[in-house]
């Protein structure tokens, strides 16, 4: 990394004044790990939905396009090393993101696009606009280099119902054939995983690795966990870590932050426990999955 000009990450996500979700969960970890960030906000709300009622505005696709045009005018887009996206308010914003990725790739074919295909979760079901799953499945996933769905989202993307870790590896390899090089499944809890554990699985062209962590008895779980994980994983990969090591570090950071979360808090303690972003206290090993 250059001491004078750190690598640039373009992060297109939501923004809240109170709380840590979207860009407010992703930008700080990226900065602590040595990256300059260009945060482009898709919404500006007073707070995230974990607090209940909120106020603010959803920006339309043309607003996002105008902000990106301004970055282009300043020569910033041509210096972007990676693009990060998460929750999408509507498919039109997603289309603008893909336009931006395509433009950046013309200047830098090596740019990496991490798409966190936020759609829903166990218990909550699908909580996005009805057009989003098809947009992600048919357009965003083929464009992405790295995807980080949770198990619910992975099954929605692939039309599967995972019965084992081996099956998750097999379906992830099939999904790789549609575009992304790296498929990471978070919150994996197939029947062959002990009930007191939660796993994260990463699959690329070289292999598959599984990290097991204890389940934490924290209710409610804080918002923004997936946003922090995706940002941290991307930073570790951009820093040159191989996928198994990046997976270990990102998982360790998220686990430590969740563990440090006060009972009843809706947010991860990103500021007070920020040392866990750079040097997590405890590592959990990424074990290679050798499928039959």
């Amino acid at each position: 990394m250059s001491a004078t000009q750190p690598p640039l990450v373009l992060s297109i996500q939501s923004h809240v004044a109170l709380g840590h979700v979207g860009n407010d969960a992703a930008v700080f970890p990226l900065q602590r790990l040595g990256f300059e960030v260009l945060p482009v906000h898709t919404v500006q709300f007073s707070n995230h939905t974990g607090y209940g009622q909120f106020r603010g505005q959803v920006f339309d696709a043309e607003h996002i396009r105008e902000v990106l045009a301004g970055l282009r005018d300043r020569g910033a887009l041509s210096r972007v090393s990676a693009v990060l996206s998460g929750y999408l308010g509507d498919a039109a914003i997603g289309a603008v993101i893909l336009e931006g990725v395509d433009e950046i790739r013309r200047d830098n074919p090596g740019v990496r696009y991490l798409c966190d295909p936020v759609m829903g979760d166990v218990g909550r079901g699908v909580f996005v606009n009805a057009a989003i799953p098809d947009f992600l499945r048919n357009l965003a996933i083929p464009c992405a280099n790295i995807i980080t769905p949770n198990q619910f989202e992975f099954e929605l993307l692939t039309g599967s119902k995972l019965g084992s870790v081996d099956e998750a590896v097999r379906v992830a390899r099939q999904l790789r054939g549609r575009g992304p090089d790296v498929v990471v499944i978070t919150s994996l809890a197939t029947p062959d995983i002990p009930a007191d554990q939660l796993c994260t699985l990463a699959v690329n062209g070289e292999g598959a690795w599984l990290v097991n962590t204890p389940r934490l008895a924290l209710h409610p779980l804080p918002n923004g966990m997936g946003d922090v994980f995706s940002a941290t994983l991307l930073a570790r990969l951009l820093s040159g870590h191989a996928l198994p090591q990046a997976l270990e570090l990102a998982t360790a950071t998220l686990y430590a932050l969740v563990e440090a979360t006060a009972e009843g808090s809706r947010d991860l303690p990103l500021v007070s426990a920020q040392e866990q972003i750079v040097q997590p206290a405890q590592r959990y090993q990424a074990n290679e999955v050798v499928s039959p």
Side-chain angles (χ1 to χ4, degrees), residues 1-2 5-9 30 34-37 79-82 238-239:
M1 294 183 188
S2 167
Q5 197 173 75
L8 273 177
V9 175
L30 283 162
F35 294 87
E36 287 285 359
V37 186
R79 297 190 288 111
V80 166
S81 298
L238 291 173
S239 297

Side-chain angles (χ1 to χ4, degrees), residues 83 85 94-103 105 109 111-115 135-147 175 178-181:
V83 179
S85 71
V96 173
I97 294 172
L98 299 191
E99 289 172 12
V101 172
D102 287 342
E103 177 181 344
R105 279 182 175 153
V111 71
R112 286 192 255 191
Y113 171 34
L114 190 156
C115 174
F135 168 80
L136 290 169
R137 188 182 299 112
N138 299 327
L139 298 174
I141 298 306
C143 181
N145 302 96
I146 308 159
I147 61 171
L175 187 56
R178 293 174 48 197
D181 177 56

Side-chain angles (χ1 to χ4, degrees), residues 205-234:
E206 298 174 1
W209 297 269
L210 190 72
V211 173
N212 296 58
T213 56
R215 281 183 181 265
L216 290 169
L218 185 65
H219 301 287
L221 286 169
N223 293 65
M225 294 189 299
D227 303 323
V228 170
F229 175 83
S230 294
T232 307
L233 178 73
L234 178 61

Side-chain angles (χ1 to χ4, degrees), residues 92-165:
I93 288 176
V96 173
I97 294 172
L98 299 191
E99 289 172 12
V101 172
D102 287 342
E103 177 181 344
I104 294 166
R105 279 182 175 153
R106 288 196 291 271
D107 292 309
N108 176 15
V111 71
R112 286 192 255 191
Y113 171 34
L114 190 156
C115 174
D116 182 6
V118 178
M119 292 181 287
D121 206 347
V122 175
R124 296 180 66 188
V126 176
F127 51 67
V128 295
N129 180 291
I132 295 295
D134 281 343
F135 168 80
L136 290 169
R137 188 182 299 112
N138 299 327
L139 298 174
I141 298 306
C143 181
N145 302 96
I146 308 159
I147 61 171
T148 55
N150 61 35
Q151 181 176 338
F152 177 90
E153 292 160 344
F154 180 80
E155 291 176 341
L156 189 59
L157 286 171
T158 59
S160 62
K161 183 65 177 174
L162 301 180
S164 67
V165 171

Side-chain angles (χ1 to χ4, degrees), residues 28-51:
F28 184 61
L30 283 162
Q31 291 171 331
R32 287 293 280 120
L33 290 169
F35 294 87
E36 287 285 359
V37 186
L38 302 173
V40 176
H41 304 322
T42 56
V43 308
Q44 179 160 308
F45 290 155
S46 56
N47 53 272
H48 61 64
T49 56
Y51 288 101

